[in-house]
Amino acid sequence: MLRQILSEMYIDPDLLAELSEEQKQILFFKMREEQIRRWKEREAAMERKESLPVKSRPKKENGKSVHWKLGADKEVWVWVMGEHHLDKPYDVLCSEITAERERLRTEQEAEELRKTQSEEFTNNLKTKSQCSDPQTPNNWKTQNACKKVAEEEEVRQESRSARILEEKKTQKKELVKEKQDEEIKQVEEDKTKQIYKNWKEDSEWQASLRKSKAADEKRRSLAKQAREDYKRLSLAAQRGRSGEGLSVPQKPRRPPLPPKPQFLPPAGHPPKPLGNQGVTRTASSSAQEDIIRWFKEEQLPCRAGYQKTSDSIAPWFHGILTLKKANELLSTGLPGTFLIRVSEKMKGYALSYLSEEGCKHFLIDASADSYSFLGVDQLQHATLADLVEYHKEEPITSLGKELLLYPCGQQEQPPDYLELFE
């Protein structure tokens, strides 16, 4: 079918109307390629013919020749239908051609109907004249023939009227169907334009979403690699112990308690006692007492709050602070300032971070003999100091890019973590 169309360079409009827009574009592209190919072949043939030695022929006085019209670039001027702003769209041209063909067909049918009616009218007049002529022989036979002709004429008139009504109904249905198809096509075009517009407007959001997904995928791969490395190292350690003939303990031994930090009083102030002599707690402080007991019994043996390489308290560590107090301490710092405080409502920690948008707070889970942010597939760290050191180079979240740059130290004396180490 395609070869036939390209060879004839013509396609029937009814067949063209059944093609989709993409198929029409492909067909026009193929036809244009075929035109260019033929033109190149013709040019090559003409060049070969001109290169051959030809006897000079005398030019005729009325000889005809073809000259190509040149454009502003001195090249052959080519006009592509549809590129100029005054060119009619393809749909409009097809509808005009279809309407013109329909008009011609209607005129032809009307002319044929007029001829048929005139012939029938002439025959009826002849028959009536014969029936009314008294000198016509066999008058009774003629009258019967006239009646038969009149009955046939009535039947033809009724069938003609029914056919005309049927044609009118069919035309009306076709018009309604064409109108509905045009409306559906317009609605689909509007939807396509709206979808393209929304896609174009959301291109930046799509780009940021792709970056976020890539960062999340990288974080998951790092976490998976860290878990595999930890598992591999654990298995290697167990095999080493079993090779030496030692029994593998079910639970690792905790390191000894570090010495209590010494706090020097500020100059000009008498030292305050470290105990809680004379201080009575109310019933509302029972939850805080449980948190303090949890910290002393479970977290101190894990060196929670201490620096990684010394027995001194880390500058970023604070005691039991409220959310409001943490915001006040961070408000005087630069973006990137952070602190880790003991949560006042649960057995765990909270990392408070000052970003350019404001203060952010991340909960730290310490329930599995390791430290990690609450969430799925989070990295596990042996100590709080390891968690801080890791996130000095790696952001907490891929979108926020929170790097722990500046620790927020103590701004009052005695320090707020004093009751945890008593």
Side-chain angles (χ1 to χ4, degrees):
M1 177 65 72
L2 181 60
R3 292 181 179 177
Q4 182 180 359
I5 292 172
L6 294 178
S7 63
E8 298 177 357
M9 298 301 289
Y10 172 78
I11 182 172
D12 188 78
D14 296 334
L15 177 61
L16 186 63
E18 295 178 359
L19 300 178
S20 64
E21 290 298 328
E22 184 178 359
Q23 292 173 338
K24 290 177 183 177
Q25 295 293 335
I26 294 173
L27 179 60
F28 293 155
F29 179 74
K30 294 291 184 182
M31 294 176 73
R32 182 60 180 164
E33 281 186 344
E34 181 65 18
Q35 288 179 346
I36 295 173
R37 188 188 66 79
R38 292 182 183 182
W39 180 78
K40 287 182 178 180
E41 288 182 354
R42 187 163 52 250
E43 289 293 319
M46 291 177 66
E47 289 179 359
R48 288 195 300 271
K49 187 177 180 181
E50 290 176 357
S51 62
L52 296 175
V54 182
K55 295 180 180 180
S56 60
R57 298 177 182 177
K59 294 184 178 180
K60 297 180 181 180
E61 294 181 357
N62 297 328
K64 296 182 180 180
S65 61
V66 178
H67 299 280
W68 296 101
K69 185 177 180 180
L70 302 180
D73 54 354
K74 303 302 180 182
E75 297 291 337
V76 178
W77 184 78
V78 180
W79 173 70
V80 180
M81 184 178 67
E83 289 187 351
H84 196 267
H85 66 280
L86 296 179
D87 292 343
K88 294 181 180 179
Y90 173 77
D91 297 338
V92 176
L93 291 175
C94 289
S95 61
E96 289 180 355
I97 293 172
T98 306
E100 182 65 20
R101 290 184 177 180
E102 186 68 23
R103 185 182 66 79
L104 294 176
R105 186 177 64 81
T106 305
E107 290 179 357
Q108 185 177 1
E109 290 179 355
E111 183 67 20
E112 292 177 356
L113 181 62
R114 186 180 63 78
K115 288 181 181 180
T116 305
Q117 289 178 353
S118 62
E119 291 176 357
E120 291 177 355
F121 182 72
T122 304
N123 294 331
N124 291 337
L125 287 177
K126 290 180 180 180
T127 306
K128 287 181 181 179
S129 63
Q130 292 177 0
C131 293
S132 60
D133 190 1
Q135 297 178 359
T136 303
N138 300 326
N139 193 21
W140 62 274
K141 293 182 179 180
T142 305
Q143 290 179 356
N144 291 334
C146 290
K147 290 181 181 179
K148 188 175 181 180
V149 169
E151 291 176 357
E152 291 177 354
E153 180 65 20
E154 290 179 359
V155 172
R156 282 197 295 270
Q157 289 288 345
E158 291 177 358
S159 63
R160 190 182 301 111
S161 301
R163 187 183 64 188
I164 292 172
L165 291 175
E166 187 67 25
E167 288 179 354
K168 289 183 178 180
K169 290 181 180 179
T170 305
Q171 291 179 356
K172 188 175 180 180
K173 289 181 180 179
E174 290 179 354
L175 291 174
V176 172
K177 186 177 180 181
E178 289 179 358
K179 188 175 181 181
Q180 291 178 352
D181 293 341
E182 290 179 357
E183 291 177 355
I184 293 172
K185 185 177 180 181
Q186 185 65 29
V187 170
E188 290 179 353
E189 290 180 356
D190 294 341
K191 287 182 179 180
T192 305
K193 290 179 180 179
Q194 186 65 28
I195 291 171
Y196 176 75
K197 184 179 179 181
N198 294 336
W199 175 83
K200 194 172 182 181
E201 290 177 354
D202 295 343
S203 59
E204 296 181 359
W205 181 81
Q206 293 287 345
S208 63
L209 182 61
R210 285 194 295 270
K211 291 180 181 178
S212 174
K213 288 183 178 179
D216 290 342
E217 187 65 26
K218 181 180 179 182
R219 179 177 55 80
R220 291 192 185 96
S221 63
L222 291 174
K224 184 178 180 181
Q225 185 65 31
R227 287 195 296 270
E228 291 177 355
D229 293 343
Y230 176 77
K231 188 182 296 184
R232 185 173 61 255
L233 293 174
S234 300
L235 290 175
Q238 291 179 3
R239 288 172 184 172
R241 294 193 197 98
S242 61
E244 294 173 1
L246 299 177
S247 60
V248 180
Q250 297 295 329
K251 189 174 181 180
R253 297 177 60 187
R254 292 181 175 179
L257 291 176
K260 292 185 178 181
Q262 300 295 329
F263 308 105
L264 298 177
H269 294 274
K272 294 184 178 180
L274 300 180
N276 288 337
Q277 294 87 355
V279 177
T280 58
R281 297 185 180 270
T282 60
S284 60
S285 61
S286 58
Q288 187 171 354
E289 290 178 354
D290 293 339
I291 293 173
I292 294 173
R293 188 183 306 109
W294 162 80
F295 182 85
K296 290 181 178 181
E297 294 177 356
E298 299 185 14
Q299 296 300 303
L300 271 182
C302 297
R303 295 180 56 84
Y306 285 87
Q307 292 188 1
K308 189 174 181 179
T309 57
S310 65
D311 293 334
S312 58
I313 304 298
W316 39 261
F317 184 76
H318 288 257
I320 301 175
L321 293 182
T322 61
L323 188 68
K324 182 178 179 181
K325 183 63 176 177
N327 292 338
E328 291 177 357
L329 292 175
L330 293 175
S331 61
T332 57
L334 298 174
T337 305
F338 71 98
L339 61 87
I340 293 181
R341 55 189 173 87
V342 179
S343 176
E344 62 174 343
K345 297 181 180 180
M346 56 176 287
K347 295 178 181 180
Y349 301 93
L351 189 146
S352 300
Y353 179 83
L354 179 62
S355 64
E356 294 181 355
E357 294 82 11
C359 291
K360 299 180 180 180
H361 303 275
F362 304 92
L363 292 177
I364 299 176
D365 183 15
S367 59
D369 292 335
S370 60
Y371 300 89
S372 63
F373 290 107
L374 286 180
V376 181
D377 294 336
Q378 296 290 340
L379 287 177
Q380 306 289 329
H381 301 276
T383 63
L384 280 176
D386 291 338
L387 184 145
V388 172
E389 290 295 328
Y390 177 79
H391 288 289
K392 285 182 179 180
E393 298 179 357
E394 296 292 334
I396 299 174
T397 61
S398 58
L399 293 179
K401 298 181 179 180
E402 301 89 354
L403 293 176
L404 307 182
L405 302 177
Y406 313 109
C408 179
Q410 299 289 330
Q411 298 181 5
E412 297 179 358
Q413 291 294 337
D416 49 25
Y417 52 73
L418 184 60
E419 59 183 350
L420 299 175
F421 296 93
E422 291 176 349

